[in-house]
Amino acid sequence: LLTNRGRGWRGAVGFIPPEGTPKGLGLEPGERVIGFAVPRPEAYLVMGTRAGKVKRTRVQDLSLPARTWDAVMGLSGEGDEVLFGSVAGAGAHILFYTAQGQLLRLDGDEINPQQTGTATGVAGAKVRAGDRLLGGIVVPAAAKEETKWQVVVFSERGYAHRTSLAEFSVQGRGATGTRCLRETKSGGGMGGVTVAKSGAVDVYLEDGRRQRFDLKEIPEGARDVRGERLVEAQDSVIARVVNLS
């Protein structure tokens, strides 16, 4: 398990309670779980922060004691937090996306692993003035399977489209990325992004509602479009998009 404070927990699934409060899970005030994955020995733990830092650590180098929270990534200062994290092998790529619809694709293999849990990573994404990072995704085996992956984009007001990952070229660290959403008055800014080859896509709104779509139900489109309305956000906005494959 990974948290926004850069801490990790490793243990058998049976030690996670079926229902539990943040305090019961051992989280500090304001701390929340932002990712989880199966730690395969030959893979890497990959994380990205609001400050645009990215870090890779070999799973075999993690010094996490069993069932104890400990540092897996240092933060760059006040206001910084880990936005996303996952475990992936060689050939994985990393996507950062912003509130104004920029998407940056990085080659994970070009990021040198860091072993120390408190290391803050290296510069990953640069954000334009007035914009901010919203999240990111680790795409496994993207280097070999980019034509099979679809980038799914939802605006905060419920408009959506999908585009092949191959339409987003790999850029160097410190770039601002490529526009993946046309911001409009009716559609608003970015709501969420996920990457999928198949399966369902879950859309979560800030008011607690959830809607599920099969990947094929989401219209295909060019990179920089508003898309078509799929969700009636009403007085809420879309907060997260997740692939269930």
Side-chain angles (χ1 to χ4, degrees):
L1 303 177
L2 303 170
T3 80
N4 63 321
R5 298 281 179 84
R7 296 202 301 163
W9 179 98
R10 178 163 59 176
V13 174
F15 287 101
I16 301 174
E19 296 181 8
T21 63
K23 183 177 180 180
L25 289 173
L27 301 181
E28 299 172 349
E31 188 174 26
R32 64 185 186 279
V33 174
I34 52 86
F36 61 91
V38 177
R40 304 185 306 277
E42 73 282 2
Y44 299 85
L45 173 61
V46 185
M47 298 163 285
T49 76
R50 190 172 296 281
K53 292 292 190 72
V54 61
K55 181 181 179 181
R56 282 205 313 162
T57 300
R58 293 184 179 91
V59 169
Q60 62 186 10
D61 290 336
L62 290 172
S63 57
L64 288 174
R67 305 190 302 277
T68 300
W69 290 102
D70 203 357
V72 291
M73 184 171 189
L75 301 178
S76 299
E78 187 176 353
D80 193 17
E81 62 177 342
V82 179
L83 292 176
F84 64 95
S86 188
V87 171
H93 285 186
I94 301 153
L95 306 183
F96 281 92
Y97 60 89
T98 77
Q100 295 182 359
Q102 293 291 119
L103 188 145
L104 174 64
R105 178 181 176 188
L106 302 175
D107 184 345
D109 289 349
E110 295 184 358
I111 299 167
N112 291 328
Q114 293 180 314
Q115 184 173 346
T116 307
T118 55
T120 58
V122 297
K126 182 179 180 180
V127 182
R128 295 174 176 176
D131 202 357
R132 60 189 174 90
L133 287 170
L134 284 186
I137 307 154
V138 180
V139 187
K144 296 182 179 179
E145 300 182 347
E146 68 171 5
T147 58
K148 299 179 181 179
W149 290 99
Q150 296 282 302
V151 177
V152 179
V153 179
F154 273 80
S155 77
E156 59 186 349
R157 301 299 302 164
Y159 287 80
H161 66 282
R162 60 184 169 98
T163 307
S164 172
L165 176 63
E167 293 296 315
F168 297 90
S169 60
V170 175
Q171 298 185 33
R173 294 190 294 107
T176 58
T178 304
R179 185 166 295 280
C180 67
L181 172 71
R182 181 179 301 169
E183 189 173 358
T184 64
K185 185 176 180 179
S186 59
M190 179 69 77
V193 176
T194 191
V195 180
K197 290 192 291 186
S198 61
V201 173
D202 270 7
V203 180
Y204 296 88
L205 287 89
E206 284 189 346
D207 63 7
R209 286 182 291 149
R210 184 199 71 181
Q211 281 191 244
R212 177 171 293 176
F213 299 92
D214 186 273
L215 180 62
K216 295 179 181 179
E217 295 181 271
I218 299 170
E220 291 186 271
R223 292 182 310 195
D224 183 13
V225 297
R226 181 188 64 174
E228 299 179 15
R229 185 188 288 277
L230 294 185
V231 178
E232 293 291 340
Q234 300 171 354
D235 294 330
S236 187
V237 293
I238 289 174
R240 192 177 184 192
V241 181
V242 179
N243 169 235
L244 300 174
S245 58

